[in-house]
Amino acid sequence: DPAEKKGALARLLAPAGLSEPWFDGYLTGVCTAPHFVSPPDWLGPLLHVAGEALTSEATMQRLIALAMLRMNACLDGRTFCRR
């Protein structure tokens, strides 16, 4: 299911000691950077921080899918991180 269910991202981030507000801050920085930041350039650090707590390939793929959904919404101007 590509849609984000309430709390799904928080549940994926929690085992790594990260929170949804932390992710929102990170994404805000990416979205408002003076130059476009490509997905590999911002997903890589995210996975480095959260990676050890992701228990399976499916969990990692779900985190990436939810992160991309939020990034796309941001870039489309549907969320908080648009200038």
Side-chain angles (χ1 to χ4, degrees), residues 48-64:
H48 178 75
V49 172
E52 288 187 26
L54 300 174
T55 57
S56 68
E57 180 76 19
T59 304
M60 182 181 69
Q61 290 299 324
R62 186 63 182 149
L63 176 62
I64 292 170

Side-chain angles (χ1 to χ4, degrees), residues 9-78:
L9 182 61
R11 284 189 297 278
L12 290 172
L13 295 171
L18 304 175
S19 66
E20 201 164 349
W22 178 90
F23 178 80
D24 289 341
Y26 180 71
L27 190 61
T28 298
V30 172
C31 288
T32 60
H35 301 285
F36 177 75
V37 181
S38 68
D41 289 337
W42 64 266
L43 279 170
L46 174 64
L47 294 175
H48 178 75
V49 172
E52 288 187 26
L54 300 174
T55 57
S56 68
E57 180 76 19
T59 304
M60 182 181 69
Q61 290 299 324
R62 186 63 182 149
L63 176 62
I64 292 170
L66 292 175
M68 290 304 300
L69 281 173
R70 289 211 179 179
M71 174 56 104
N72 289 336
C74 177
L75 293 174
D76 289 346
R78 297 181 302 217

